[in-house]
Amino acid sequence: MPDPRPSVLFVCVHNAGRSQMAAGWLRHLSGGAVEVRSAGSMPADQLNPVAVQAMLEVGIDIRAERPQVLTADAVQVSDVVVTMGCGDACPIFPGTRYEDWALDDPAGQGIEAVRPIRDEIRARVASLLSELDVPAEA
């Protein structure tokens, strides 16, 4: 039986910062009511440690996550595909909703620069949950 939850895929090139923070927020704010994926066209070896630190500051631990390679299958099984302003070439499938969130890249940035990116992602994830009719948890 297919998963009845809406599914969201976050995509950016390295799958090490923005897309991982967005996935962390969505898991946290949806309380498991949304199936969450993230991937990148050229995944990094590891997550951006400053992105991990920024998320830990708000009580969300993404340390166990690993950058994943973007596949057509991941796109095809997702209801919403969110690219992170990095011009990723995403396969297009009918019936899938696509959004592009223009966000600064946290790569190479210090924590002071990454916090506003983290907070902007939280606001966008909360808005997405509202559009999906999924109540956001505190």
Side-chain angles (χ1 to χ4, degrees):
M1 186 169 148
D3 193 325
R5 301 176 297 167
S7 58
V8 177
L9 169 65
F10 294 105
V11 180
C12 71
V13 175
H14 300 300
N15 189 220
R18 292 167 290 195
S19 54
Q20 292 285 357
M21 289 192 289
W25 274 123
L26 187 54
R27 282 187 200 96
H28 177 75
L29 293 173
S30 75
V34 176
E35 186 179 4
V36 182
R37 298 180 182 86
S38 71
S41 55
M42 296 185 316
D45 295 333
Q46 63 184 30
L47 295 193
N48 175 336
V50 182
V52 171
Q53 177 187 352
M55 293 302 284
L56 283 170
E57 287 181 352
V58 294
I60 300 173
D61 188 353
I62 60 172
R63 289 178 290 194
E65 302 302 321
R66 296 288 172 260
Q68 303 291 317
V69 69
L70 176 64
T71 65
D73 286 346
V75 174
Q76 196 164 11
V77 298
S78 298
D79 298 314
V80 180
V81 176
V82 178
T83 57
M84 302 287 192
C86 26
D88 247 351
C90 232
I92 304 293
F93 293 99
T96 301
R97 174 176 156 191
Y98 295 87
E99 288 189 22
D100 184 60
W101 293 357
L103 297 160
D104 291 335
D105 189 346
Q109 306 269 13
I111 190 70
E112 296 297 329
V114 174
R115 285 182 184 124
I117 299 168
R118 172 201 66 203
D119 296 344
E120 168 81 6
I121 291 170
R122 184 198 188 284
R124 289 176 184 242
V125 166
S127 176
L128 178 62
L129 279 171
S130 173
E131 292 166 16
L132 294 172
D133 290 327
V134 174
E137 309 229 332

